[in-house]
Amino acid sequence: MFKVLVEIDWIVDKNTIVHPDLCVVEGEIPVEYLKKRPVLITEITSNSTVLKDRTAKFELYQSQEIPYYLISDPANQQLQIFRLVDGQYQPQNFSSSFLFELNDQCLLDVDLGT
């Protein structure tokens, strides 16, 4: 079973802790913080976070093999979806909906229309 979590710390390793705006994880909801890798992370950019979201977090999530990384830019009404393919994030084209393959048995069809 998958759960959507908002604003929870993810302890990547003993030197790295991040605080994704939204993530999807499989299994039980952690009490204090997340220790296992999410299957999807969304960061909502602001003037103060946009550079970090597009560079440092992009590279971190890619290196940790997060299957999907979404960058939401409310100021410009844009959403970018990246899918991990052969260890590299590839931008995904979409119109008003997108199908996320969370595992072999779970597909998440999201309507992104306004």
Side-chain angles (χ1 to χ4, degrees):
M1 185 172 294
F2 291 89
K3 307 282 192 293
V4 176
L5 306 174
V6 293
E7 298 189 356
I8 189 168
D9 287 337
W10 171 32
I11 299 178
V12 179
D13 58 40
K14 66 180 182 176
N15 298 315
T16 309
I17 299 173
V18 290
H19 191 81
D21 293 317
L22 180 143
C23 63
V24 175
V25 296
E26 188 172 10
E28 297 297 317
I29 297 174
V31 176
E32 296 181 56
Y33 47 81
L34 187 60
K35 288 186 177 178
K36 65 181 181 176
R37 176 176 61 107
V39 296
L40 181 151
I41 290 179
T42 300
E43 294 291 356
I44 301 169
T45 65
S46 66
N47 289 338
S48 64
T49 67
V50 67
L51 184 59
K52 187 175 188 177
D53 292 337
R54 295 189 182 282
T55 58
K57 285 189 174 182
F58 184 97
E59 291 171 11
L60 174 67
Y61 298 157
Q62 182 174 256
S63 74
Q64 295 300 307
E65 300 182 342
I66 305 301
Y68 293 98
Y69 180 38
L70 285 66
I71 301 174
S72 175
D73 182 351
N76 295 307
Q77 296 183 347
Q78 293 180 336
L79 177 68
Q80 293 178 288
I81 300 174
F82 296 94
R83 181 173 183 219
L84 194 68
V85 178
D86 297 327
Q88 300 291 313
Y89 276 139
Q90 302 295 320
Q92 303 296 293
N93 294 322
F94 63 94
S95 55
S96 63
S97 66
F98 190 83
L99 186 65
F100 296 91
E101 185 177 334
L102 301 182
N103 68 20
D104 292 340
Q105 300 173 346
C106 184
L107 302 175
L108 176 63
D109 190 4
V110 178
D111 182 358
L112 303 167
T114 54

